[in-house]
């Protein structure tokens, strides 16, 4: 395959700015593409939370003082360059302090739409200034979803993009970027109102994600099951009809794991490295985790781990009644790392008070602790209501931590139910979203845990799974090549 020019656009890229799995994917997939010989450049905003003084950030010649008309005035941005990782892809950071120096990556300020419209337009204008002709413009989630429309309208005059094809990857259809229709002028789209979805306009709103779904040349999402689910009313969050109308262009590709970051064999964040053939280190990590978090040592039962955004998506409602019951009746430990909805934060804070020595709730975001929980837990809880892909269940398997998941989205595609009769399977899977099913799965996992030989085999089955980007990234290359040669994408 000839080297492609790929403009990869994302609102978060690890480790620079991260709220969830989008950041991991936006570092790892371009890294794979760069190593495969392609000219990939990643664009993201230079948020205030990123250390501005890093000496590896270099201004990009020609990309200073990019003026974009935003809400009737000129807003200026400049681009700095670094790399996503030492062997990664070039990363272009859009500096525009008035938009990106905020308390959090995302917010609800009245100019939220401008922040990401600016990002979309400045990315396009950067390509123009560099006279860099992307074969593929790969957008991710609603923050970048206006790019396909911009290329067909405001920038349609520029032949630079004549042969460019656009891809929109939906990492989570629950986040859509919905604003009052009155902002169309702010976006520079006055006169192009008809390009927005008619029903949205009738309801006095515009929807960034839907606009991307309408105009991207191909739409991907992050697992095959989720690609089917979001075309149904139950999971589509109102996007199902628009997605169905593009059905032939909607493709599911399961995410990969960045094995340079998530591998127990050489992870610098954990106390002892280990592997499927040498699991002693796993026990040492477990002992250390409990000690570090002030929990009672050497439980007879498993250590249960959770690392998550505390959002209703992740299935915490199912745990409400069940966890106290399990904690009261068994010699288990529970370690929770996360922050988010106040109701879940106070639930776990209360649980910690009720079960001293058994439960630790660490409120916040802590990358190092996330690795230590993956390495030190026995069972990872992820009973999501919906899950586009999910990375943590894959990280867990690599670390010999057995995932307990609901059969939805990427969880259904990556975790198979343990069967002790033929020693097959990689975790515990339940189907219907209700508390009794969650209890059943947790009880099954705890019973299995007491069979040491079976458990070891189950851990090793998970550790043998290959979800590396070397495998998954090829599906994207295949998609790009189909798009560019005019073949159907599926
Ligand atoms: P989502 O993107 O829906 O949050 P994923 O499983 O795809 O779910 O990815 C979550 C990513 O964010 C993982 O890399 C996980 O380790 C990380 N993560 C989530 N919450 C925290 C936290 N509180 N501290 C550190 N890392 C976290
Ligand atoms: C989203 C989804 C998660 C997915 C991640 C990366 O945040 O919630 O399931 O793994 O994006 O694609």
């Amino acid at each position: 395959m000839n080297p492609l020019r790929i403009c990869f656009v994302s609102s978060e890229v690890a480790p620079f700015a991260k709220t969830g799995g989008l950041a991991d994917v936006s570092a790892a997939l371009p890294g794979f593409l760069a190593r495969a010989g392609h000219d990939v450049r990643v664009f993201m905003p230079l948020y205030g939370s990123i250390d501005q003084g890093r000496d590896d950030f270099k201004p990009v010649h020609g990309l200073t003082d990019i003026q974009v008309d935003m809400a009737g005035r000129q807003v200026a941005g400049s681009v700095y360059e670094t790399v996503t990782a030492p062997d990664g892809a070039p990363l272009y950071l859009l500096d525009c302090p008035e938009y990106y120096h905020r308390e959090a990556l995302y917010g609800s300020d009245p100019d939220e739409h401008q922040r990401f419209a600016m990002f979309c337009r400045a990315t396009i204008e950067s390509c123009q200034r560099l006279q860099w002709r992307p074969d593929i413009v790969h957008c991710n989630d609603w923050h970048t979803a206006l790019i396909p429309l911009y290329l067909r309208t405001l920038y349609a005059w520029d032949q630079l993009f004549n042969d460019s094809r656009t891809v929109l990857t939906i990492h989570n259809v629950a986040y859509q970027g919905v604003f009052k229709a009155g902002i169309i002028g702010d976006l520079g789209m006055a006169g192009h109102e008809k390009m927005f979805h008619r029903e949205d306009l009738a309801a006095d709103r515009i929807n960034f994600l839907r606009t991307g779904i309408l105009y991207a040349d191909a739409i991907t999402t992050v697992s095959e099951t989720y690609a089917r689910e979001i075309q149904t009313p139950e999971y589509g969050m109102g996007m199902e009809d628009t997605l169905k109308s593009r059905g032939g262009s909607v493709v599911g590709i399961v995410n990969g794991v960045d094995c340079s970051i998530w591998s127990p064999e050489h992870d610098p964040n954990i106390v002892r490295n280990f592997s499927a053939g040498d699991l002693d280190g796993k026990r040492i990590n477990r002992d250390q985790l409990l000690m570090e978090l002030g929990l009672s040592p050497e439980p007879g039962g498993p250590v249960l781990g959770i690392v998550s955004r505390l959002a209703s998506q992740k299935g915490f409602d199912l745990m409400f009644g069940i966890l106290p019951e399990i904690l009261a009746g068994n010699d288990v430990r529970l370690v929770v790392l996360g922050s988010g909805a106040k109701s879940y934060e106070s639930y776990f804070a209360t649980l910690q008070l009720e079960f001293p020595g058994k439960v630790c709730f660490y409120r916040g975001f802590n990358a190092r602790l996330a690795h230590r929980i993956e390495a030190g837990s026995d069972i990872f809880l992820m009973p999501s209501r919906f899950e586009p892909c999910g990375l943590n269940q894959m990280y867990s398997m690599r670390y010999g931590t057995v995932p307990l998941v609901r059969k939805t989205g990427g969880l259904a595609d990556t975790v198979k139910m343990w069967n002790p009769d033929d020693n097959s399977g990689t975790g515990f899977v339940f189907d219907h979203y209700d508390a009794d099913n969650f209890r059943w799965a947790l009880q099954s996992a705890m019973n299995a845990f007491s069979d040491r030989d079976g458990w070891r085999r189950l851990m090793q089955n998970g550790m043998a799974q290959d979800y590396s980007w070397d495998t998954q990234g090829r599906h994207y290359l295949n998609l790009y090549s189909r798009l560019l040669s005019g073949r159907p994408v599926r």
Side-chain angles (χ1 to χ4, degrees), residues 92 108 357 416 460:
Y92 286 60
S108 48
K416 297 286 167 258
Q460 287 168 336

Side-chain angles (χ1 to χ4, degrees), residues 18-22 24 262 307-309 313-314 337-339 364-367 370 382 387 390-392 395:
K18 168 165 167 174
T19 66
L22 169 63
D24 294 16
W262 295 97
V307 178
S308 186
R309 291 184 291 117
Q313 167 192 347
K314 301 292 177 179
L337 167 62
S339 62
F365 194 94
N366 184 328
M382 209 166 166
E387 194 61 72
L391 294 170
N392 275 315
Y395 299 159

Side-chain angles (χ1 to χ4, degrees), residues 43-295:
F43 285 80
M44 73 173 289
L46 180 53
Y47 297 104
S49 55
I50 299 173
D51 176 7
Q52 311 281 308
R54 289 172 54 142
D55 50 11
D56 60 324
F57 287 2
K58 304 276 184 261
V60 182
H61 183 67
L63 297 188
T64 48
D65 201 27
I66 302 170
Q67 298 278 336
V68 177
D69 180 48
M70 213 23 78
R73 66 195 179 88
Q74 293 300 111
V75 176
S78 296
V79 176
Y80 291 82
E81 182 178 0
T82 182
V83 281
T84 56
D87 64 342
L91 174 65
Y92 286 60
L93 296 133
L94 174 63
D95 186 28
C96 178
E98 71 169 282
Y99 281 147
Y100 307 128
H101 288 201
R102 302 274 164 101
E103 208 177 305
L105 269 47
Y106 314 118
S108 48
D109 291 339
D111 62 354
E112 185 74 354
H113 60 286
Q114 292 176 33
R115 300 176 68 220
F116 293 103
M118 169 73 184
F119 177 42
C120 292
R121 293 192 58 180
T123 298
I124 296 172
E125 300 211 4
S126 296
C127 297
Q128 290 179 311
R129 284 184 174 217
L130 295 172
Q131 281 298 294
W132 185 64
R133 186 181 293 275
D135 297 301
I136 296 290
V137 182
H138 191 150
C139 311
N140 293 275
D141 279 351
W142 75 261
H143 315 90
T144 59
L146 289 186
I147 290 179
L149 175 61
Y150 277 142
L151 290 177
R152 286 169 191 245
T153 53
L154 297 190
Y155 300 93
W157 60 270
D158 193 345
Q159 298 190 353
L160 189 75
F161 302 107
N162 272 4
D163 298 323
S164 302
R165 296 290 172 268
T166 53
V167 176
L168 171 66
T169 296
I170 302 174
H171 295 263
N172 197 332
V173 85
Y175 301 102
Q176 300 179 356
V178 180
F179 302 95
K180 287 273 190 205
I183 64 140
I184 288 179
D186 290 0
L187 307 177
M189 292 297 289
H192 296 287
E193 286 80 0
K194 280 211 301 282
M195 301 297 280
F196 291 92
H197 194 259
R198 202 174 338 132
E199 285 166 33
D200 282 336
L201 291 177
D204 188 30
R205 57 177 188 239
I206 66 148
N207 182 315
F208 276 45
L209 186 68
R210 195 194 311 275
T211 308
I213 296 171
L214 287 172
Y215 295 110
D217 293 311
I219 298 125
T220 75
T221 187
V222 288
S223 68
E224 286 165 36
T225 297
Y226 195 61
R228 287 192 300 275
E229 287 175 340
I230 55 178
Q231 298 185 52
T232 67
E234 191 185 350
Y235 289 94
M237 310 260 177
M239 290 299 106
E240 58 275 12
D241 290 339
T242 316
L243 282 162
K244 270 197 286 193
S245 74
R246 301 288 328 264
S249 306
V250 181
V251 178
I253 302 175
V254 173
N255 286 330
V257 171
D258 186 337
C259 301
S260 69
I261 296 179
W262 295 97
S263 286
E265 293 85 354
H266 45 73
D267 184 338
N269 299 291
I270 64 179
V271 286
R272 180 69 62 88
N273 292 116
F274 60 96
S275 64
D278 168 20
L279 284 169
D280 287 351
K282 171 100 186 148
R283 195 179 37 74
I284 295 168
N285 280 290
R286 181 176 122 125
D287 293 347
Q288 175 70 24
L289 179 70
L290 297 179
M291 191 179 83
E292 203 171 285
L293 299 179
L295 296 177

